[in-house]
Amino acid sequence: MAAAPVSIRRARPLLGTFVEIAVDGQSFDAAEAAVEAAFAAIATVHRLMSFHEADSDVSRLNRGAASGPVRVHDWTCQVLEAARDLHRRSEGMFDISVAPALQRLGLLPGASPSPRLRCEGAFPQARRRPKALSPDPHPASGERVQRARGAHGRIQLLPENRVRFVDPSVKIDLGGIAKGFAVDRAVEALLRHGIAEGLVNAGGDLRVFGPRSHAVDIRDPRQPDRPLYRVALCNAALASSAGRFDPVRSHSALFSGVIDPATAMPVRAISGATVCGPGCMVADALTKVVMNAGEGAAAILEHYGADALFVSARGQVHITADWKNEVHLAA
């Protein structure tokens, strides 16, 4: 008589958040081995792509790639290639070279925010009109093309996993894509170990696989302690971006950590975005495109087989017409 499948759930601090892995396996030992392999894959991504770790590929690139080619791990090269493709297809709205802006605004270490920012605990309103949800295709098109050429031309991917920055001012941050990549690598590890059903959740960037649907709550980006929608997720990934949230200080979102590359300031027209797609890396990256473009992201979402739900700063909720997973208002 065959033994009944076992279910285990484990969580560890990685990627600047808590990563949870839940699986169903044929035996406890097999399930534990699979989970360990998945956590090892995530730890490798953390070691390679953290902005904060001095010996990571990202830190080595930021220190030395302007002086000459720097060899990186194959996984880092894969993420850089994906980021380059996303940058081109989004006309510059996904940009890994916004690290200096994040440093200047106090969202990454290396530079101090201005005294005004420290006092306010948030960012001052940008002195410009809010970006429309559907960008004007005429006067803005030249700006978008110029922006799309920016990081793409300054980061060179060379043979044998070597990378060079042509401009000494270039600094990269993979925080907008690496977490999703880590989730995908963890799922690959679980599948290699014969796991037929599971979930990997890295602080809200998650992917599920197997025959069952998983109920996933999407937070209200204006009040992150409250759910807005519940999604029945099956064999898909889900990623979200919204304002930063400190429950000790406020029950409301403080400000966006997503940068508009055109202004080097936080996005304001959209409060939060959730993207559902086949893989978590692309879903993770596309949330930043949707935060910048709103309805203007329709073409790139279609290209990657992804759907989006986003909330404008005025509280309007938009959901792509062909959203593939069941979604309901949260109770």
Side-chain angles (χ1 to χ4, degrees):
M1 181 176 177
V6 298
S7 298
I8 65 171
R9 187 179 297 265
R10 301 286 185 267
R12 293 180 188 174
L14 286 166
L15 305 172
T17 185
F18 278 97
V19 177
E20 178 186 29
I21 299 178
V23 302
D24 290 344
Q26 292 302 311
S27 71
F28 181 82
D29 289 345
E32 282 281 12
V35 169
E36 285 298 321
F39 274 126
I42 293 171
T44 297
V45 175
H46 181 104
R47 174 175 57 82
L48 293 171
M49 303 183 204
S50 170
F51 188 92
H52 305 267
E53 301 289 338
D55 295 329
S56 71
D57 280 355
V58 167
S59 293
R60 292 192 304 108
L61 288 169
N62 285 337
R63 284 195 304 268
S67 300
V70 174
R71 191 184 300 274
V72 298
H73 191 278
D74 185 58
W75 283 5
T76 306
C77 202
Q78 289 179 37
V79 172
L80 292 173
E81 288 173 349
R84 181 173 63 177
D85 188 59
L86 282 152
H87 184 271
R88 178 177 61 83
R89 293 185 183 279
S90 68
E91 296 182 320
M93 283 178 281
F94 181 79
D95 190 348
I96 60 173
S97 69
V98 296
L102 292 167
Q103 289 179 304
R104 186 173 62 254
L105 297 167
L107 296 176
L108 283 178
S112 299
S114 72
R116 180 183 177 188
L117 295 181
R118 287 196 297 267
C119 291
E120 291 181 357
F123 300 119
Q125 292 286 343
R127 299 186 182 277
R128 63 185 182 96
R129 295 177 61 187
K131 178 179 286 191
L133 296 181
S134 298
D136 186 339
H138 300 295
S141 61
E143 174 190 333
R144 289 201 303 274
V145 170
Q146 183 179 9
R147 180 173 60 185
R149 290 172 178 164
H152 177 72
R154 294 185 295 158
I155 301 172
Q156 297 183 342
L157 305 184
L158 306 173
E160 300 178 343
N161 289 354
R162 295 175 302 145
V163 181
R164 187 170 76 92
F165 297 168
V166 300
D167 185 338
S169 67
V170 174
K171 283 189 178 181
I172 64 168
D173 171 47
L174 298 181
I177 189 172
K179 190 189 297 183
F181 179 81
V183 169
D184 288 340
R185 298 292 75 73
V187 170
E188 285 185 359
L190 295 174
L191 292 171
R192 281 199 308 271
H193 280 73
I195 299 298
E197 181 170 354
L199 173 150
V200 179
N201 182 358
D205 287 1
L206 59 92
R207 182 172 163 185
V208 303
F209 62 97
R212 289 188 302 160
S213 293
H214 295 253
V216 180
D217 286 339
I218 298 174
R219 290 178 173 180
D220 186 334
R222 299 156 298 176
Q223 294 181 288
D225 59 336
R226 296 176 54 186
L228 181 62
Y229 284 98
R230 174 162 290 182
V231 177
L233 197 65
C234 183
N235 285 312
L238 200 71
S240 297
S241 289
R244 297 168 67 84
F245 178 51
D246 183 351
V248 175
R249 295 174 58 185
S250 172
H251 291 292
S252 300
L254 299 176
F255 51 83
S256 176
V258 177
I259 300 299
D260 178 353
T263 64
M265 290 295 290
V267 171
R268 292 200 173 276
I270 296 176
S271 298
T274 294
V275 172
C276 180
C280 200
M281 178 186 72
V282 170
D284 187 11
L286 287 177
T287 62
K288 287 74 183 176
V289 179
V290 174
M291 288 282 287
N292 272 285
E295 293 172 343
I300 192 171
L301 288 167
E302 182 179 2
H303 172 79
Y304 286 105
D307 302 310
L309 179 157
F310 65 92
V311 181
S312 75
R314 296 179 179 179
Q316 298 170 313
V317 179
H318 299 255
I319 304 177
T320 50
D322 57 348
W323 182 281
K324 301 175 183 63
N325 290 271
E326 187 178 343
V327 60
H328 301 281
L329 283 169

